[in-house]
Each structure stands twice: as structure tokens, then as C-alpha cells.
Amino acid sequence: MNVFLVPDALAGQRIDVVASRVTGHSRSRVAELIAAGGMLLDGETVKRASRIVTAGAMLELVTEPRPTQVASRPRLVGGLEIIHEDRDIVVVDKPAGVAAHPSLGWEGPSVTEHLAAAGIAIATSGAPERQGVVSRLDVGTSGLMVLARSERAYSVLKQAFRDKAVDKTYQALVQGHPDPFSGTIDAPIGRHPGHEWKMAIVGGGRESVTHYETLEAHRAATLVEVSLETGRTHQIRVHFAAIGHPCCGDPLYGSDPALAKRLGLDRQWLHATRLAFEHPVEGNRVEFKSELPRDLEHALREVRSD
């Protein structure tokens, strides 16, 4: 797979033009790739050569064209809770080990498959495998996620996330003690140049802004509350690793395996605790909260006991 970041100079142009410029392929070859499902923009299969791109977007050419649809198997997921449901939106409390939606290479359960099995219809907008999904959580991250059930809700919520009008609050247990104890990490994130499944702070990456405040400081780790202005893949994990304080239990971004073992962690200590936004149809402000799951509570008790 070849990955390219769209440069500022090509922002606002058609994707076939941009792809030709950054990859060196002819326009006709680019058109063939798009038709075969072999081109992705920010992880979504490109379906139209006329699609307009933005600066910093990730353009991927897959060696073997990716199918335009990923098989979905409706199945209920243990531990996944429906926090709120109305005719336009559904808010779920996702456990770790569950993906937001099916994807190639992932055989585990997903939120969208659970909703299908539960008879909860979601919007048809979006790529076939992620219909109704307006924002995602990593497989190893637990907590709150909102999905759209109506087309209007999908459109309005997608724009609200783009406009940074959705309040997303997380708690993270990070190694050591961030300095300062409260602050902002503002650093662009893009695909790691040497690792297909990893992100990194890179020149020319997409704008990424993370605010944090210390809740508790302990000998081995610090509990922080995090709010996001942007929602990049692995953003919290990348940003805290970059300042030398990776999330506990996150070996992909440099956490200490000995500490993770002592805390009983087999995934990153990261939980989406609060989600607040204007209801996309009714217009009133809605807010949802999630308590820490058992594994994270256990790890926090161990840290507090040091």
C-alpha cells in the first residue's frame, strides 16, 4: 500500500488530478484504480474521480484493490449498551475489543453489526460497511459513540464534527507526569512512514489539537481528562506518546509492558467518558456520560495503591 498526504498547493482540486500529481500515475490509470476500488481517501474508498480533496488528507493506493463493500454479519455484542435511542440518533457505550464497523482484516464484533442484530436501523449514508457512523473509537478504546439513524441526522452530525461543535471528553491514564500538568498538544498527525497501522506526528500531517487537565497524579502514572478539538486516528495515543507519556497498556505507542502487566491491562487505558452536542434534528443540547469499565477501574486502583 502506498500512502500520500495531499499538499496544501493541491487542496480544493479533484482527486484524480491530485492523485496523478502526487503518485506519477496517468489520469487514465488513476481512473482505473478508482473504478476498481483501489484508492482510499482518509480510509474511505473513493467512488468519484471528481471528489474534491483537502490539504493533509491521506490518499492511499492499495496493491490489491479493496472491495467496495465489506461483509457484515449481524450479531449481538456482549457488554455493549444502548445509552440513548430515538428516531434520529443512537448513542452506545462501546466495550473494548469491539470495532466501530466491519473492515478488512477484522474478524471481531462491531457496533454496526450489533445494531443490525438488535433491529436498530441506521442511516444509509456513508461507505457501505460504515453506514450511519459519524465518528469512531479505536477497537481498544471503550466509551461513548453516536451513530445516525436518519439521513438528516447523518448530514448534520458529520458537519458538527467537522465544525468542532461536538464536545468529546476522555479519561486517559498516562505514564509518568506530564509537564505542565494541564495544557494543549498541537501537532499534526499523519500515517507513520514506516508502519501501516500506526500514526505519528509528521510534517504536512492533518491539524490535531488535544487539551488535557490532570485529575490525579500518582507515582507511576497520571490520570488526565482530555478534550479534543479534532478527531484524528489514534490522536490521544499519538499526542501523549509524543510528549513522552504514552497511555498505560499501549505498546504500539511505547508504553512499558511491565507496568501494563502489573496493572492487569491488555489494552490502552483510554475511555470516552462524555459526549455532548446539539441534537441534529430537534436542536436541543444533549449530553451523555459513561462510567469507567472494570478493567480500567482495577488498573486505577493499583496505581492509587502505590
Side-chain angles (χ1 to χ4, degrees):
M1 179 181 291
N2 297 310
V3 181
F4 306 87
L5 290 176
V6 176
D8 292 344
L10 297 180
Q13 297 194 40
R14 291 167 51 112
I15 193 166
D16 57 347
V17 174
V18 173
S20 179
R21 291 281 300 277
V22 300
T23 68
H25 288 307
S26 66
R27 290 276 293 277
S28 60
R29 175 55 180 155
V30 168
E32 290 173 359
L33 286 168
I34 292 173
M39 183 173 296
L40 287 77
L41 187 67
D42 289 337
E44 294 188 9
T45 301
V46 176
K47 298 179 180 179
R48 295 180 293 106
S50 60
R51 183 170 175 179
I52 302 301
V53 301
T54 58
M58 284 189 297
L59 181 66
E60 302 173 60
L61 305 185
V62 293
T63 305
E64 295 295 331
R66 183 176 291 193
T68 57
Q69 187 165 351
V70 176
S72 179
R73 299 167 291 176
R75 47 182 164 169
L76 294 173
V77 179
L80 192 151
E81 295 185 39
I82 307 297
I83 301 299
H84 171 85
E85 177 190 353
D86 60 40
R87 64 183 181 182
D88 297 296
I89 63 172
V90 57
V91 178
V92 303
D93 196 344
K94 183 187 86 65
V98 179
H101 55 76
S103 60
L104 288 178
W106 173 250
E107 297 295 330
S110 72
V111 172
T112 55
E113 290 172 318
H114 176 89
L115 296 180
I120 301 175
I122 55 178
T124 58
S125 294
E129 69 274 13
R130 62 183 73 180
Q131 290 175 347
V133 177
V134 293
S135 71
R136 295 175 289 175
L137 291 179
D138 298 339
V139 170
T141 300
S142 52
L144 297 171
M145 246 184 83
V146 60
L147 298 93
R149 298 196 64 198
S150 68
E151 298 304 314
R152 181 179 175 189
Y154 181 86
S155 176
V156 172
L157 280 173
K158 286 291 283 186
Q159 191 59 49
F161 276 98
R162 291 190 197 101
D163 293 342
K164 306 174 185 177
V166 178
D167 292 335
K168 300 169 288 184
T169 305
Y170 297 74
Q171 286 187 6
L173 188 67
V174 301
Q175 292 182 189
H177 305 118
D179 183 15
F181 273 128
S182 299
T184 296
I185 307 170
D186 185 349
I189 291 176
R191 187 73 63 183
H192 192 288
H195 197 301
E196 184 176 352
W197 303 108
K198 190 175 181 180
M199 308 299 286
I201 292 175
V202 296
R206 303 179 72 186
E207 177 196 19
S208 307
V209 180
T210 300
H211 305 286
Y212 69 92
E213 182 174 345
T214 292
L215 299 177
E216 302 177 16
H218 301 284
R219 185 176 67 84
T222 301
L223 179 66
V224 294
E225 184 173 84
V226 181
S227 61
L228 300 181
E229 282 193 28
T230 53
R232 309 305 177 208
T233 301
H234 299 181
Q235 178 172 324
I236 294 172
R237 300 163 65 190
V238 171
H239 271 173
F240 277 96
I243 64 171
H245 302 283
C247 293
C248 295
D250 191 5
L252 182 64
Y253 290 102
S255 69
D256 179 3
L259 177 61
K261 183 177 181 180
R262 181 164 68 82
L263 300 182
L265 286 172
D266 57 10
R267 54 105 166 190
Q268 65 264 18
W269 203 113
L270 182 60
H271 186 70
T273 58
R274 177 179 170 272
L275 194 60
F277 51 89
E278 286 189 4
H279 191 284
V281 175
E282 298 172 6
N284 56 303
R285 188 75 172 172
V286 293
E287 179 176 340
F288 307 96
K289 294 183 179 180
S290 170
E291 298 297 323
L292 293 176
R294 262 188 245 176
D295 62 332
L296 302 190
E297 280 279 16
H298 170 79
L300 187 56
R301 284 196 300 272
E302 291 295 314
V303 165
R304 287 168 173 163
S305 67
D306 282 353

